[in-house]
Structure formats: structure tokens, C-alpha cells
Amino acid sequence: MDKTKTLEALIDNGVFAVVRMTDSSKLLNTVSALCEGGIKNIEITLTVPNAAEMISSVRSRFSDEIIVGAGTVTSVEDAETVIKSGAEFIVSPILNPAVIDVCKKHGIPVAPGCYTPTEIFSGWKAGADIVKVFPATSLGPAFFKDIRAVFPQIKLMPTGGVSIDNVSEWFKAGASAVALGSNLLDKKAIAENKFEIITETAKRLMDNVFSARQSLK
């Protein structure tokens, strides 16, 4: 899949599941549960033990079912490592133009983390395919509406503050996609191997995303 098609698929699904866990032995089952619930964009953060190896394992096991990428990527070295391991997109909590350049070189989508209007515009000008607005918790959907009014060409993705119940507000305010971690991955359910809970939560989320997008047509 080339960069354009990958980006289209990421936006089409609309949800990035941010997988951040301390026990990587649960990761494959977690990804399987998310996929069964309809979430196809899996972001494995570099805080996960053996993250690069896990990205490779997920890519091998799920093949064309999902798009797997790396999160919490802050350096060129980390970007190169995860791309070699099979990451199909890169997400960062910060704006590092050098990381964007690496992704452009390899032809994969990149979403740097930005907060202010100046950062958001700078990220887009540097080559960001999606701008991750982080942390979005304190900004809220109204901020997205204001930003979209002046920068309608920039694809925005909130990270932080997005929940199953409020996800429609973010899309109605102009988000191209959303990212969820703790509000999607029930730690207790994962610890107890109750992965059906993860699947049901994912299904509820995707239903709300579909409804929000339908209302905008």
C-alpha cells in the first residue's frame, strides 16, 4: 500500500487505537480484540516493552487486516528502527521536523504532536499528513472548530480527552480522525483476559463514529 492509500485508509477508519501497556504478552490478543471490534489503525507506542519486535509481530500476524504504526516516536533513530520493523505510520507527541523528513523519505504517513495554532501550521508546512493535537484534553472540540475555520486544509486528530461518549463532538468540530488509549483499553479486562470487553467497547466506539460522520453528510 502506498502512502496515499495508507493515509486514505487511516482516515476512512477514523480511529487510532493507542496501545500502551507494560505486559507485551497481552498485546496480540488486544490487537485482535480491537480488530474484531472494527478498529483497523493500531498505534503501538515505544513505551511498550520490545515495541519494535511487537510491531513486526503484529504486521506479520494480521497482514492486511489492520494498519500498524508506532507512537511516542521522538527521534530519527527511533523512527528508522520502527520503520524497519514494519511500522506503516508514525505518531509523535512532539513536533520534530527531522522525524517528519524520515517518514517522507520512506513514504509513510506521519502525525506529529502539536498544541498551538502556530505549531499546528508549522507541522503541516513541514510535511505532516495528519496533525495530532496533543494534549487535547484541555482544548476541547471548540478549539478544533476554530482551527478548522482558518486552516481547513489541515487534517487534525485529537489525542487525550476523547471518549466513546464524546467522540461525535470531535468529528462534528472538524476532526479527521481521533486517537484513544486508556478510554478504549480497559486495563482490568486485559489483565483478566476478558478481551471480549475490548471488542464490545471498540464496536460501540465505531458505531458512534459512523453515526457522527453520517450526520455530517
Side-chain angles (χ1 to χ4, degrees):
M1 190 183 298
D2 63 26
K3 179 179 177 179
T4 299
K5 290 182 178 179
T6 300
L7 183 59
E8 288 176 353
L10 291 170
I11 297 297
D12 183 63
N13 190 251
V15 174
F16 286 63
V18 182
V19 180
R20 189 187 301 276
M21 53 175 55
T22 56
D23 183 1
S24 57
S25 69
K26 305 277 189 177
L27 192 143
L28 290 177
N29 284 334
T30 300
V31 171
S32 180
L34 290 167
C35 183
E36 189 176 343
I39 296 176
K40 306 301 182 181
N41 307 332
I42 307 297
E43 174 190 334
I44 299 174
T45 70
L46 292 191
T47 57
V48 173
N50 304 311
E53 290 84 352
M54 295 311 301
I55 288 169
S56 180
S57 295
V58 170
R59 183 82 186 268
S60 297
R61 174 168 169 176
F62 294 94
S63 185
D64 297 330
E65 293 181 74
I66 66 170
I67 303 175
V68 60
T72 323
V73 178
T74 58
S75 70
V76 168
E77 293 75 19
D78 285 342
E80 292 282 7
T81 296
V82 295
I83 291 171
K84 288 178 182 177
S85 296
E88 298 171 273
F89 64 87
I90 296 291
V91 180
S92 177
I94 62 170
L95 173 57
N96 183 346
V99 170
I100 294 176
D101 289 341
V102 169
C103 295
K104 289 165 67 176
K105 179 182 73 174
H106 288 281
I108 68 170
V110 58
C114 302
Y115 189 75
T116 67
T118 299
E119 279 190 332
I120 290 170
F121 185 75
S122 297
W124 177 73
K125 287 291 288 182
D129 299 287
I130 304 172
V131 173
K132 166 183 171 175
V133 181
F134 174 79
T137 309
S138 58
L139 296 172
F143 178 81
F144 270 54
K145 186 175 181 180
D146 292 340
I147 293 296
R148 287 284 296 169
V150 293
F151 300 138
Q153 75 277 27
I154 301 178
K155 294 179 175 62
L156 302 174
M157 177 176 71
T159 302
V162 182
S163 69
I164 295 169
D165 294 327
N166 72 13
V167 67
S168 62
E169 297 175 26
W170 293 99
F171 280 102
K172 290 175 182 178
S176 295
V178 297
L180 290 87
S182 58
N183 284 329
L184 178 62
L185 301 178
D186 186 320
K187 289 184 179 180
K188 186 172 183 290
I190 293 172
E192 296 176 354
N193 295 318
K194 296 180 179 179
F195 295 102
E196 68 278 5
I197 293 176
I198 305 300
T199 296
E200 287 305 313
T201 301
K203 286 179 179 178
R204 286 175 52 214
L205 174 63
M206 295 308 297
D207 285 345
N208 288 350
V209 170
F210 178 79
S211 296
R213 285 177 155 176
Q214 286 296 108
S215 71
L216 295 173
K217 291 183 179 181

